[in-house]
Amino acid sequence: MGLITSRYYLWFKLNSSSSSSSPSSKKREREEEKGEMITYVRRSKRLNKDLVDENESERQIITYVRRRKRVSTEAVKENEEEISRKRGREEGAGDGDQIRAVKKDRVIAPCSSPHVSFLNPHSDFSWYDVDLWTEVAKHLDGQDLTALSLVNKWFDRLISEECIWKYACLRDMDVPPPRHVSFPWKLIYSAAFDGSHAYCYRQQDKHIDWMRIGSFFLDSPFVLLTETLAPSKRFNRPGTDVQRSIELTGSCSLNNAKTGIWIADLQLVRCPVCNLNTCEGTMQVLDARHAELFLEENYQNGTWEYEDLGQHRITSPASAAVGAIFDLKYLSSPSTSQILDAKSWVGASIDLQPRAKIGNHAVAVNTNLQPNDGLYVRYQVMRDNKVDGKVVSIRISQQLI
């Protein structure tokens, strides 16, 4: 309103002065008044702008103060809640116990890796589940089981369970479970798969080479030893003269073999007659032993020795060197019949590589021979020193004449 009135006053003064002055002075006065009017208008605009800026600044200050008050109020509330919580903990800490303020040192918090949903803290999943790891252990061999047992004490206790090593033994040896064992299954597994054989303990200087055939199971103490895959029906009855049976038929039967798991190896050794390393005479030995033999102290210290059952001399040229061990209880079983079917596995006559065949209750070896003058076959057994003197190891050795 003031601005409008001032403008009206200037206009009125301009018009009133124009009627009493000269033309030149009137023109000059009009220009001066016009300049004053322009200056006044500009100053009015600047004042209005400063007023607007001042009002905006005032609003910002008011907003800031209100925000600070709200934050301060919230901080006070949080502080009061924290004090009340501390008082509650102090009151429930104990009867009359003095609470000492302890300054907590800052520690570096470990980073946590992201987990899938089923491993969240609320999940029932447990890394240390006995049934789970027992099932996993069924798919591991002895080396992996030993490595797993070294992880920590919990795994060491788990892997030490007999059921795990028993399962591994029966699985890797592919045999049925025996009725009784005298040693832990872990030791039995180690003795079977640590790469040792009979000549590691005796006559190392005579040993040339060997081959692991496999494992078989003697379910009865009655065992047939023979040098042919077409055994004669005239072999001795168990308990009769073994030596005479060997001399007449080249085979014999035993009635006191230790039942259970047996391991068979094919050994190649030097001639036992001379001690010359240059001697070209070699023997093929079918070496079968009870799975627990290497764990017996009397075997390790040399108390148990091999004894001769008898020798058989073949004076005519022999086409092959054969040795076989059968459980008489299963002589007519399908698995034994596969071993007696020589044509299915011995190979052609020109194939001079040793061949072996093993079944559930029998084992046999065959090596085709070059032209020769005959064959010398020797039967040996090792017995334990107990009252019954069970047979724990069998050897059938064959040497060219």
Side-chain angles (χ1 to χ4, degrees):
M1 182 66 181
L3 180 63
I4 297 174
T5 305
S6 300
R7 289 177 180 177
Y8 177 79
Y9 169 77
L10 292 175
W11 176 82
F12 176 79
K13 185 177 181 181
L14 181 65
N15 291 332
S16 60
S17 60
S18 59
S19 58
S20 58
S21 302
S22 62
S24 60
S25 60
K26 290 181 180 180
K27 183 176 179 181
R28 186 168 52 255
E29 289 178 356
R30 282 196 299 269
E31 291 178 355
E32 292 177 354
E33 290 176 354
K34 185 177 179 180
E36 291 177 357
M37 186 175 180
I38 292 172
T39 301
Y40 178 78
V41 170
R42 288 177 178 176
R43 186 176 299 171
S44 298
K45 287 183 178 181
R46 185 164 59 251
L47 290 174
N48 290 335
K49 183 178 179 181
D50 293 341
L51 181 61
V52 172
D53 294 340
E54 182 178 356
N55 293 336
E56 181 65 23
S57 300
E58 183 178 358
R59 282 197 300 270
Q60 291 179 358
I61 292 172
I62 294 173
T63 303
Y64 175 76
V65 171
R66 289 176 179 175
R67 190 173 299 169
R68 286 295 302 271
K69 287 183 178 180
R70 185 169 59 252
V71 172
S72 300
T73 304
E74 293 176 355
V76 170
K77 290 182 179 179
E78 291 180 358
N79 191 19
E80 291 177 353
E81 292 176 357
E82 181 66 22
I83 292 173
S84 64
R85 284 197 296 269
K86 287 184 178 180
R87 288 178 179 176
R89 287 197 296 268
E90 291 175 358
E91 291 176 357
D95 299 334
D97 293 341
Q98 294 182 356
I99 308 301
R100 296 182 178 179
V102 180
K103 184 178 180 180
K104 295 184 179 180
D105 296 330
R106 292 187 177 182
V107 295
I108 299 176
C111 61
S112 57
S113 301
H115 296 283
V116 291
S117 59
F118 70 90
L119 296 181
N120 286 338
H122 66 271
S123 176
D124 295 333
F125 180 83
S126 174
W127 285 109
Y128 295 98
D129 185 83
V130 175
D131 295 334
L132 172 65
W133 284 105
T134 301
E135 185 64 27
V136 172
K138 292 182 179 180
H139 303 275
L140 304 178
D141 58 14
Q143 185 176 0
D144 293 334
L145 289 173
T146 303
L148 183 60
S149 67
L150 299 176
V151 173
N152 55 34
K153 292 182 179 180
W154 188 89
F155 280 107
D156 182 59
R157 289 193 299 269
L158 175 68
I159 302 303
S160 298
E161 293 292 334
E162 281 288 278
C163 61
I164 293 179
W165 287 101
K166 179 180 179 180
Y167 183 90
C169 276
L170 301 181
R171 177 200 62 201
D172 295 349
M173 294 184 183
D174 194 18
V175 291
R179 289 185 288 270
H180 171 73
V181 293
S182 303
F183 296 91
W185 282 102
K186 183 177 182 179
L187 296 180
I188 296 175
Y189 188 97
S190 176
F193 295 99
D194 63 356
S196 60
H197 53 83
Y199 284 89
C200 292
Y201 298 89
R202 292 174 174 82
Q203 299 178 326
Q204 297 184 17
D205 56 331
K206 296 291 184 182
H207 189 256
I208 300 176
D209 201 0
W210 74 294
M211 178 183 70
R212 173 61 51 85
I213 300 174
S215 305
F216 63 102
F217 192 83
L218 290 184
D219 193 33
S220 72
F222 304 105
V223 180
L224 172 64
L225 314 181
T226 181
E227 62 188 37
T228 177
L229 293 177
S232 173
K233 296 182 180 180
R234 297 184 301 165
F235 58 84
N236 68 305
R237 293 181 179 180
T240 60
D241 190 354
V242 174
Q243 184 174 359
R244 182 168 177 78
S245 176
I246 293 174
E247 292 176 354
L248 294 177
T249 64
S251 60
C252 67
S253 62
L254 306 175
N255 63 349
N256 61 343
K258 187 175 181 178
T259 59
I261 304 172
W262 282 62
I263 299 173
D265 298 328
L266 178 60
Q267 307 282 356
L268 185 63
V269 297
R270 293 189 179 92
C271 171
V273 177
C274 63
N275 293 322
L276 298 176
N277 292 331
T278 57
C279 177
E280 296 180 357
T282 57
M283 290 196 309
Q284 170 184 286
V285 181
L286 173 58
D287 186 9
R289 58 178 171 89
H290 195 272
E292 302 176 27
L293 177 62
F294 288 174
L295 303 175
E296 296 284 354
E297 183 180 357
N298 290 326
Y299 176 81
Q300 296 176 3
N301 60 26
T303 302
W304 296 352
E305 294 288 349
Y306 284 94
E307 62 180 72
D308 288 333
L309 293 179
Q311 298 84 27
H312 183 231
R313 196 179 190 89
I314 302 175
T315 56
S316 59
S319 61
V322 180
I325 303 173
F326 299 95
D327 187 341
L328 282 174
K329 182 179 178 180
Y330 297 91
L331 189 60
S332 302
S333 66
S335 61
T336 304
S337 299
Q338 295 178 2
I339 296 177
L340 296 175
D341 184 13
K343 293 182 180 179
S344 63
W345 62 275
V346 298
S349 58
I350 59 175
D351 184 3
L352 304 180
Q353 291 295 325
R355 300 291 184 93
K357 182 75 172 178
I358 196 165
N360 296 333
H361 306 282
V363 62
V365 295
N366 180 93
T367 302
N368 295 324
L369 301 175
Q370 295 178 345
N372 56 81
D373 296 329
L375 202 61
Y376 176 78
V377 184
R378 184 183 183 186
Y379 293 84
Q380 293 176 299
V381 296
M382 177 182 289
R383 305 177 190 272
D384 59 25
N385 57 0
K386 299 178 182 179
V387 178
D388 50 1
K390 291 186 179 297
V391 175
V392 293
S393 182
I394 299 172
R395 280 181 177 176
I396 302 177
S397 307
Q398 295 165 320
Q399 182 181 9
L400 291 173
I401 298 176

